[in-house]
Amino acid sequence: MSCCDLAAAGQLGKAGIMASDCEPALNQAESRNPTLERYLGALREAKNDSEQFAALLLVTKAVKAGDIDAKTRRRIFDAVGFTFPNRLLTTKEAPDGCPDHVLRALGVALLACFCSDPELAAHPQVLNKIPILSTFLTARGDPDDAARRSMIDDTYQCLTAVAGTPRGPRHLIAGGTVSALCQAYLGHGYGFDQALALLVGLLAAAETQCWKEAEPDLLAVLRGLSEDFQKAEDASKFELCQLLPLFLPPTTVPSECLRDLQAGLARILGSKLSSWQRNPALKLAARLAHACGSDWIPAGNSGSKFLALLVNLACVEVRLALEETGTEVKEDVVTACYALMELGIQECTRCEQSLLKEPQKVQLVSIMKEAIGAVIHYLQQVGPEKQKEPFVFASVRILGAWLAEETSSLRKEVCQLLPFLVRYAKTLYEEAEEANDLSQQVATLAISPTTPGPTWPGDALRLLLPGWCHLTVEDGPREILIKEGAPSLLCKYFLQQWELTSPGHDTSVLPDSVEIGLQTCCHIFLNLVVTAPGLIKRDACFTSLMNTLMTSLPALVQQQGRLLLAANVATLGLLMARLLSTSPALQGTPASRGFFAAAILFLSQSHVARATPGSDQAVLVLSPDYEGIWADLQELWFLGMQAFTGCVPLLPWLAPAALRSRWPQELLQLLGSVSPNSVKPEMVAAYQGVLVELARANRLCREAMRLQAGEETASHYRMAALEQCLSEP
């Protein structure tokens, strides 16, 4: 059999591929082409390679392109099987006068024919050919050789068919196909456009696995695409806008890529465009903002102008989409604009190293205020049937980001929307799994091609916590939140989130947003303790909260790196204990004693004495664990000292417990060992408050303080109230 005959036999694959949409009944095919039936019989009865080649050639001549249906393809497979194609793919000896690749081309053509059947495309005998097929994509050869081109087309046909099966992407990635596709695309040889299309499909199906297996090669493709995008002057730049988000890595984006992408986007968005041209650019910019924050935008005048342009365009798009009732909303585009608005909010509130100048900030805040007004208008129209839609979740998210920084503007509109927000948060909290799915759908909608990043938490309530923290300080919004049941919801949410941090759970895998959410809940409760004490006393949910705080603090204060959360829990618990002092749970129970012992530990370890060179007296300084976070901690510490002071006269057992902990003695010892000039007046006042109440509450405390030179120390620090108290019997 000649080399030309072999090449002709290879056209069998083409016939099968082109016939995927044409499936006449088998009996019709038989009646129309009885010759094919004789040749299939000959193929089944072939006893050696030569007879199989001859039969394949006859079958090829009997079947015209487009005439072969799925059942006939299956009959050809039943006649040929995998053994013969396997030998063709692995043989290293070609007939005289034939190029080496001709036999492999025939083997690939047969596989391409078989892979038109989805069941065969997932067959183990096809899957184990993935590594071999992948090597064909980057094999060197004559670029004008028709047979080689045909083999490359068939190879892509096989790989694409495998990718379309349920587990196909995983097998392709494991078989090295991603790297081969990257190299094929970068080589810009025949079929490189097919390589890019298949890469896009694999990244969309299994982004994380692709990057894990072939990060260097994918980054090389990203560099090439970014450079092409920066240089493009034709319509291809808009096509690249749609492709590039898929090629952004889950880790750090190379700086040279960021420069090219920003430059390309600046040229596009700075021009007058139609919506179909502008929208992909906004979505690419949103993906970059999600992945890199503002790091991809250069500092200086050009960068600030570009950022202002981005946010401005996003706000305009949001208003156009949401202000007109009845207009069809392009949800993916508006969600991308939300991400750009959030970037604008972050930059407008950044005090140091902001890309924006003050006049730009003032202008953008005004523009964003109008866009947020449109978001509120949209949410006011949302009925119960739409509450589980991803776009509603995205809209609540951007409103939450705005309220976290600004609650004074649009106050009336926000107050009107609060009942909806409470109901919405409660609905998603009660269906937590659906809430997490919504978060992923939002990310897929516009920001990330697959899974959401850490800035997209999976529940609506966490998005609203910072804004509610501000609103609970104000009388009007606080009354609405209380009326709608927000405090009870927050207590349940806090207890549920706290379970995630309790023993038995791996806290190392928890996102930082969980702990931040717990701290923000504590801040809201602190506001309610101060502004609505009656609510704390009458609502049973706060009794449950108090019990959780008491049982949790002893372990929490011992955990490394969680001091700020411990400070929140301790201070909140101390303030609530003043209001709930008559509760049986606080009458010297083991839980209450453990809580106050842990609170004393937190309050007592904040400062230490440190020797100073050339001086006989040490100075009072922050302890190492407290020093780095004192700016966030000091208000809680002073509030905690004040709350502890208030608890002493209300809980008769507390003063003896404090004495057994030796806190008053050690505190006086600390003050006596340092220079009074090193202790700030507010510290002196806080220490005196605790010591005075302990001395007044218990005779043994007074005696212990006197033995620790309490009167002398009080005189040195001008603690008149303590000095007087200790001078009494």
Side-chain angles (χ1 to χ4, degrees):
M1 182 172 291
S2 71
C3 179
C4 293
D5 289 339
L6 290 178
Q11 296 304 309
L12 180 64
K14 300 298 181 296
I17 294 165
M18 295 176 64
S20 60
D21 296 328
C22 181
E23 296 192 6
L26 181 59
N27 58 353
Q28 292 176 332
E30 291 175 354
S31 62
R32 187 172 62 243
N33 199 342
T35 304
L36 173 62
E37 294 306 308
R38 292 200 306 273
Y39 294 160
L40 285 174
L43 186 59
R44 285 191 296 270
E45 296 170 4
K47 297 182 178 60
N48 53 47
D49 289 350
S50 296
E51 291 181 5
Q52 280 193 316
F53 279 134
L56 277 173
L57 179 61
L58 293 172
V59 169
T60 303
K61 290 181 178 179
V63 179
K64 295 180 181 179
D67 283 348
I68 183 170
D69 61 21
K71 292 182 179 179
T72 305
R73 278 196 301 273
R74 190 60 185 241
R75 295 183 66 194
I76 295 172
F77 166 73
D78 292 339
V80 177
F82 280 114
T83 303
F84 186 47
N86 289 349
R87 293 174 59 195
L88 291 173
L89 289 172
T90 57
T91 185
K92 296 182 179 179
E93 297 181 3
D96 293 340
C98 284
D100 293 341
H101 64 270
V102 169
L103 294 180
R104 293 194 296 271
L106 178 56
V108 177
L110 286 169
L111 282 184
C113 174
F114 300 158
C115 285
S116 299
D117 183 334
E119 185 178 343
L120 291 178
H123 195 284
Q125 286 285 353
V126 172
L127 299 178
N128 66 22
K129 303 299 181 302
I130 289 173
I132 298 175
L133 293 172
S134 297
T135 63
F136 295 163
L137 300 179
T138 56
R140 296 181 179 180
D142 182 0
D144 297 323
D145 186 328
R148 185 176 293 280
R149 288 191 171 202
S150 177
M151 183 176 73
I152 292 174
D153 286 336
D154 289 335
T155 300
Y156 281 117
Q157 176 69 25
C158 293
L159 297 175
T160 302
V162 171
T165 63
R167 302 172 72 87
R170 189 186 71 173
H171 289 292
L172 290 173
I173 294 167
T177 302
V178 176
S179 291
L181 290 170
C182 291
Q183 293 166 26
Y185 173 75
L186 293 170
H188 275 66
Y190 179 76
F192 78 98
D193 52 339
Q194 297 181 70
L196 185 63
L198 188 49
L199 266 179
V200 167
L202 290 177
L203 284 167
E207 178 192 30
T208 302
Q209 293 87 342
C210 286
W211 280 101
K212 183 178 179 181
E213 290 294 327
E215 181 173 348
D217 295 302
L218 286 169
L219 286 176
V221 173
L222 174 61
R223 290 186 182 96
L225 292 174
S226 301
E227 187 175 349
D228 291 344
F229 179 62
Q230 193 271 336
K231 294 178 179 178
E233 298 291 346
D234 55 13
S236 65
K237 59 187 176 184
F238 303 114
E239 298 172 3
L240 286 169
C241 274
Q242 296 176 324
L243 286 177
L244 279 163
L246 288 163
F247 287 89
L248 295 177
T251 54
T252 305
V253 182
S255 57
E256 64 271 24
C257 297
L258 293 178
R259 286 194 299 269
D260 287 341
L261 294 173
Q262 190 275 330
L265 282 171
R267 282 210 312 276
I268 290 176
L269 295 174
S271 306
K272 189 175 182 180
L273 302 172
S274 60
S275 59
W276 73 267
Q277 295 170 322
R278 180 178 59 254
N279 292 346
L282 290 173
K283 292 168 71 173
L284 173 57
R287 181 71 174 88
L288 288 168
H290 175 67
C292 311
S294 61
D295 292 344
W296 61 288
I297 301 175
N301 191 49
S302 63
S304 64
K305 286 184 177 180
F306 175 71
L307 177 57
L309 174 65
L310 268 184
V311 178
N312 207 329
L313 289 172
C315 291
V316 170
E317 191 69 34
V318 168
R319 291 189 63 189
L320 289 174
L322 301 184
E323 285 183 346
E324 295 296 330
T325 304
T327 303
E328 182 180 356
V329 177
K330 295 178 180 177
E331 296 180 351
D332 57 341
V333 178
V334 177
T335 304
C337 292
Y338 286 166
L340 297 175
M341 286 175 59
E342 191 164 346
L343 178 63
I345 292 170
Q346 292 169 359
E347 285 300 314
C348 284
T349 54
R350 180 179 294 181
C351 298
E352 297 180 359
Q353 296 181 333
S354 174
L355 292 172
L356 298 170
K357 301 173 183 177
E358 281 305 314
Q360 290 174 315
K361 290 182 179 182
V362 172
Q363 183 182 24
L364 285 183
V365 167
S366 176
I367 294 170
M368 287 191 289
K369 175 183 172 182
E370 295 174 347
I372 292 297
V375 174
I376 293 174
H377 172 76
Y378 165 76
L379 290 174
Q380 287 170 337
Q381 318 304 316
V382 172
E385 73 283 357
K386 288 189 174 184
Q387 286 193 10
K388 296 180 182 178
E389 293 185 1
F391 184 65
V392 176
F393 187 93
S395 301
V396 171
R397 173 185 166 83
I398 187 59
L399 178 59
W402 173 264
L403 292 177
E405 305 295 344
E406 174 57 61
T407 57
S408 59
S409 61
L410 300 171
R411 182 175 302 177
K412 178 181 177 182
E413 293 83 352
V414 169
C415 287
Q416 291 173 345
L417 191 66
L418 279 179
F420 164 80
L421 293 176
V422 175
R423 291 194 301 270
Y424 180 79
K426 183 178 181 181
T427 299
L428 265 63
Y429 167 74
E430 292 173 348
E431 302 174 22
E433 290 186 4
E434 290 191 31
N436 187 63
D437 182 58
L438 271 179
S439 179
Q440 183 162 342
Q441 290 180 52
V442 171
T444 307
L445 193 62
I447 306 305
S448 172
T450 53
T451 56
T455 57
W456 291 84
D459 62 79
L461 191 51
R462 195 180 303 159
L463 307 175
L464 296 168
L465 288 178
W468 286 7
C469 187
H470 297 313
L471 292 171
T472 48
V473 177
E474 304 176 24
D475 293 340
R478 182 177 62 253
E479 290 175 4
I480 296 173
L481 288 170
I482 292 174
K483 180 181 178 182
E484 296 296 329
S488 177
L489 173 61
L490 287 168
C491 284
K492 293 176 183 177
Y493 177 77
F494 181 90
L495 297 177
Q496 183 255 351
Q497 292 289 293
W498 190 263
E499 280 297 312
L500 299 177
T501 69
S502 62
H505 291 79
D506 185 3
T507 57
S508 65
V509 300
L510 287 177
D512 293 340
S513 55
V514 172
E515 190 151 317
I516 294 173
L518 289 170
Q519 292 176 23
T520 309
C521 280
C522 287
H523 295 166
I524 295 174
F525 295 141
L526 286 171
N527 290 340
L528 293 176
V529 167
V530 174
T531 60
L535 174 71
I536 308 299
K537 294 179 180 179
R538 68 174 180 267
D539 198 321
C541 71
F542 287 101
T543 301
S544 299
L545 176 62
M546 185 70 213
N547 290 335
T548 297
L549 298 179
M550 287 195 299
T551 57
S552 303
L553 186 62
L556 184 61
V557 294
Q558 303 290 343
Q559 295 176 19
Q560 193 71 24
R562 307 190 73 191
L563 181 57
L564 192 55
L565 180 59
N568 278 278
V569 170
T571 304
L572 175 61
L574 290 170
L575 284 168
M576 289 180 63
R578 288 196 311 182
L579 299 176
L580 302 175
S581 60
T582 58
S583 168
L586 285 163
Q587 306 310 310
T589 60
S592 62
R593 290 180 180 275
F595 169 79
F596 276 94
I600 288 173
L601 193 64
F602 158 65
L603 295 172
S604 65
Q605 293 186 339
S606 61
H607 291 77
V608 294
R610 186 174 67 191
T612 55
S615 174
D616 295 335
Q617 279 191 307
V619 294
L620 189 72
V621 297
L622 288 165
S623 60
D625 289 342
Y626 288 66
E627 187 174 12
I629 58 173
W630 187 246
D632 298 318
L633 200 63
Q634 61 176 334
E635 186 176 354
L636 290 168
W637 187 86
F638 281 108
L639 196 56
M641 291 287 286
Q642 181 182 349
F644 185 93
T645 301
C647 288
V648 172
L650 299 174
L651 301 172
W653 60 269
L654 183 54
L659 182 62
R660 285 192 296 272
S661 75
R662 293 193 54 79
W663 184 27
Q665 301 97 308
E666 291 173 357
L667 179 52
L668 287 169
Q669 183 180 4
L670 175 65
L671 291 174
S673 67
V674 301
S675 168
N677 293 330
S678 68
V679 186
K680 296 180 180 179
E682 59 269 24
M683 295 293 300
V684 173
Y687 286 146
Q688 178 177 224
V690 169
L691 292 170
V692 166
E693 287 300 333
L694 290 174
R696 287 174 177 170
N698 186 270
R699 177 181 59 80
L700 294 178
C701 280
R702 290 195 297 275
E703 292 177 358
M705 291 182 196
R706 292 190 189 105
L707 291 174
Q708 196 62 51
E711 292 179 271
E712 182 181 350
T713 300
S715 176
H716 286 160
Y717 285 88
R718 298 181 180 178
M719 297 179 177
L722 178 60
E723 190 174 5
Q724 180 180 350
C725 185
L726 294 179
S727 66
E728 297 172 355

